[in-house]
Amino acid sequence: MTGGGVAPVDLTVNGEPLTLLAGPGATLLDLLRSRAQLTGSKQGCNSGVCGVCTVLVDGKTARACLMLAADCAGRTVVTIEGLDDDPHAAVLGEEMAKAGAVQCGYCTPGIVVALTDLFRRTAVPPDAAAVRHWLGGNICRCTGYVSIVEAAVRAGQRSVGADIEARAP
Amino acid sequence: MQIFHPTTVDEVIGLLAAHDEARCLAGGQTLVAMLNLGLLDPPALISLRKVAGLDRLIRHADGGVTMGATVTQAALAAADLPGALAVLGEAAQQVAHPAIRNFGTVGGALCHADPAADLPPAFVAADARMTAIGPDGERSLSAGDFFVDYLTTALADGEILTEIRLPPPPPGSVGAYLKFARVDGDYATVSVAVTMTLENGVCRAARIALGSCAARPLRLDAADAALADTGLDADSVARAGALLQEAADPLADMRGTADYRRRIVPGLVARAIGAARAKAEAPA
Ligand SMILES: Cc1cc2nc3c(=O)[nH]c(=O)nc-3n(C[C@H](O)[C@H](O)[C@H](O)COP(=O)(O)OP(=O)(O)OC[C@H]3O[C@@H](n4cnc5c(N)ncnc54)[C@H](O)[C@@H]3O)c2cc1C
Ligand code: FES
Ligand code: FES
């Protein structure tokens, strides 16, 4: 049990065990951005709607703004910074740059994290409909989504499947 | 605000009794959003995350299911439950987006009792029984009695929802959930949950519950009766739809005016019945 003040939270972020100080109302997003200086995850709506704070928690896509930091003890978190060496994310980055799928870039980290999770989960490259469905919770105010979906489909074709294992670090 | 991490239901009940206005924290997918928006400032939160056993989904030999309150919406969406209970999985698959379903729980969605949410009408149509535990012990309520009003359940102060029990689906039973929303992942403008038991094309029993049509899931004995012992002919289906339309008292919001919602009820009811019926006709 924890009391009312600032309390240490032990969790693993991008493979590193960390102890971070969290006030009781702080979210995982606050913790990542302010205490761990991992500012790749963005803050938009702070209420679960926009998806710019998307991270992986215990291997699953999550809203960092909807996780209370004090409830994250023992959890394993991966942020966009932790996907630097991820083969899916790398291919996705290339395809997004090529397709012009990044304009202001505010939505990009959340979209890359969410799509990396999708690519890891499926054995077959997702089609445009599957990508759109999966990204239903990630809002982009710049691109109109067409280029993002195109890039995601191409990246999926390149990186989803058996050969990805061989390229994994 | 204090946060507690009890490991047993008894401890949760003790903490709720000891802290006035304390709230349970399940997946946080509604509660933390409300905290962030300043809509809520409880003195204490009691996390259910470490409470042993609450996240179990148990399939009984007779086809019945017992689901702990912290089973995630994603787990229910993937559970592939038999017969009439398919209504629950279909509803769970249409809740919000993957990230929300990964952590949002069945119990949290039911206890929040948002009339526009997907799980409440589905659990009413499935005739679920809710187990509540509080300082005075355990009691069981029907899903119909559990939902009382807008964002209000029958849970008393200090009581929590611990599990949901689903009766074994009768042979020949089918279920479907139809959500009409502006875009993928939005709350329903109107939703229809239906379970039916069919015998050689004759509907022996039906339960329909609507979302976003009243302060709680809307179910009518008369509408269900209009379908019983019929071949689900167009007239009987239209009669059930008209009765539900008459009883609907929806809110007006950005997802539709009250009048618009009422107008689309009969068409959606017919579509949902058609979807459920198609499952009975599909070769097994
Ligand atoms: C962007 C967004 C979109 C959404 N879209 C939809 C949608 O399309 N359809 C839909 O149905 N829902 C939608 N939701 C709501 C979502 O389903 C939530 O997960 C759900 O309402 C709450 O579940 P939770 O486990 O996160 O509960 P929490 O947020 O932790 O708790 C919700 C409430 O229930 C209480 N509570 C939780 N568990 C118990 C218990 N066992 N006993 C007693 N009280 C309890 C809490 O104290 C709190 O008051 C959406 C949410 C967001 C953020
Ligand atoms: S900031 Fe988390 S979803 Fe918008
Ligand atoms: S690129 Fe600007 S919000 Fe998506």
Side-chain angles (χ1 to χ4, degrees), chain A:
Chain A
M1 283 184 204
T2 41
V6 171
V9 178
D10 295 314
L11 74 175
T12 303
V13 180
N14 298 336
E16 227 187 297
L18 295 180
T19 301
L20 300 171
L21 291 177
T27 63
L28 173 60
L29 184 61
D30 297 332
L31 214 59
L32 292 172
R33 289 180 56 85
S34 308
R35 304 272 183 189
Q37 274 76 51
L38 293 167
T39 53
S41 311
K42 304 301 180 213
Q43 189 188 98
C45 65
N46 215 25
S47 57
V49 179
C50 73
V52 300
C53 66
T54 304
V55 296
L56 302 177
V57 173
D58 296 335
K60 294 180 285 193
T61 312
R63 304 292 210 214
C65 73
L66 294 186
M67 301 245 142
L68 231 37
D71 209 37
C72 282
R75 294 212 194 257
T76 299
V77 179
V78 176
T79 68
I80 185 71
E81 291 90 345
L83 294 179
D84 271 356
D85 298 323
D86 183 276
H88 291 301
V91 173
L92 196 55
E94 283 172 31
E95 292 295 343
M96 286 180 77
K98 254 196 267 171
V102 180
Q103 289 187 25
C104 80
Y106 206 73
C107 67
T108 310
I111 286 179
V112 171
V113 171
L115 286 173
T116 300
D117 185 28
L118 173 65
F119 290 175
R120 284 178 179 177
R121 261 162 221 284
T122 66
V124 209
D127 62 11
V131 167
R132 282 184 181 276
H133 182 69
W134 190 263
L135 289 183
N138 291 77
I139 291 176
C140 172
R141 302 313 307 263
C142 300
T143 64
Y145 303 101
V146 174
S147 51
I148 295 175
V149 175
E150 266 174 26
V153 170
R154 269 197 223 112
Q157 283 162 353
R158 282 178 57 197
S159 83
V160 173
D163 65 308
I164 199 75
E165 303 300 331
R167 281 191 277 139

Side-chain angles (χ1 to χ4, degrees), chain B residues 42-66:
Chain B
L45 288 180
I46 298 157
S47 170
L48 302 181
R49 187 182 150 208
K50 303 217 164 114
V51 178
L54 275 192
D55 61 349
R56 271 193 307 224
L57 188 149
I58 303 163
R59 298 157 200 264
H60 302 290
D62 63 4
V65 170
T66 303

Side-chain angles (χ1 to χ4, degrees), chain B residues 120-279:
Chain B
F123 278 76
V124 169
D127 204 10
R129 300 232 25 123
M130 330 291 264
T131 305
I133 299 187
D136 302 328
E138 180 177 317
R139 63 186 178 123
S140 165
L141 305 86
S142 71
D145 291 336
F146 184 78
F147 300 105
V148 173
D149 202 347
Y150 186 72
L151 305 185
T152 309
T153 67
L155 288 177
D157 269 353
E159 245 182 353
I160 65 163
L161 174 68
T162 53
E163 67 184 23
I164 304 108
R165 294 184 196 179
L166 287 316
S173 71
V174 285
Y177 183 75
L178 187 113
K179 177 173 181 175
F180 184 79
R182 297 174 306 168
V183 293
D184 207 29
D186 193 11
Y187 281 94
T189 304
V190 168
S191 68
V192 184
V194 51
T195 63
M196 309 189 297
T197 302
L198 295 163
E199 217 179 84
N200 302 321
V202 176
C203 173
R204 290 303 174 202
R207 282 176 77 84
I208 300 182
L210 305 187
S212 288
C213 280
R216 58 195 192 125
L218 178 65
R219 196 184 76 81
L220 270 189
D221 285 338
D224 293 347
L227 298 170
D229 300 315
T230 73
L232 299 174
D233 55 284
D235 282 352
S236 305
V237 170
R239 169 124 189 87
L243 286 164
L244 286 160
Q245 181 180 43
E246 217 175 280
D249 183 17
L251 287 176
D253 63 17
M254 62 189 177
R255 296 183 180 86
T257 62
D259 182 52
Y260 175 73
R261 288 183 149 116
R262 242 181 264 113
R263 276 174 196 238
I264 63 176
V265 164
L268 293 175
V269 167
R271 262 193 236 170
I273 290 173
R277 184 186 202 172
K279 295 185 186 182

